[in-house]
Amino acid sequence: QVQLVESGGGLVQAGGSLRLSCAASGRIFSINDMAWHRQAPGNQRDLVALITSDGRTKYADSVKGRFTISRDNAKNTVSLQMNSLKPEDTAVYYCNVEASVSWGQAHYDYWGQGTQVTVSS
């Protein structure tokens, strides 16, 4: 019912920048929180950044001051600008939204397929 398509991953040298984007489509009535998570091999999936429907943001301590999350409510998109990248930022990054598909229905979590970010030292 809700599809998420991510783009923007890739290979970058330490100190470089990447911008991830995620577009939500399908039968969408409303979206609450939008977020980016990441998972490195052998690790659990962790929250990187979150933005609420009214624009409040939350970041993991490890990315504060380097990453910026933003959203376009009219286009149902969320982006993650990643600057000063470090090798430890290497992971698969997943887009996540809380969306409702009709009036009165609860919001559920939807996930993208993931995009690889690799930072070389």
Side-chain angles (χ1 to χ4, degrees), residues 103-116:
W103 184 86
Q105 188 188 61
H107 287 72
Y108 295 99
D109 276 323
Y110 295 90
W111 293 86
Q113 79 285 357
T115 185
Q116 177 70 45

Side-chain angles (χ1 to χ4, degrees), residues 10-72:
L11 173 65
V12 65
Q13 288 188 334
S17 298
L18 282 175
R19 185 177 180 86
L20 305 182
S21 296
C22 174
S25 63
R27 187 182 172 190
I28 299 172
F29 178 74
S30 69
I31 297 178
N32 285 346
D33 296 347
M34 306 181 85
W36 289 94
H37 300 249
R38 68 186 181 188
Q39 186 169 20
N43 291 353
Q44 64 183 18
R45 189 175 298 187
D46 292 324
L47 175 69
V48 175
L50 177 149
I51 184 166
T52 65
S53 57
D54 59 356
R56 289 172 291 143
T57 58
K58 175 182 177 180
Y59 296 93
D61 288 343
S62 60
V63 307
K64 283 181 181 177
R66 300 188 297 122
F67 291 11
T68 302
I69 190 170
S70 59
R71 67 189 283 172
D72 185 328

Side-chain angles (χ1 to χ4, degrees), residues 1-2 4 95-101 105 108-112:
Q1 291 174 315
V2 177
L4 302 179
C95 174
N96 161 236
V97 304
E98 288 183 347
S100 171
V101 299
Q105 188 188 61
Y108 295 99
D109 276 323
Y110 295 90
W111 293 86

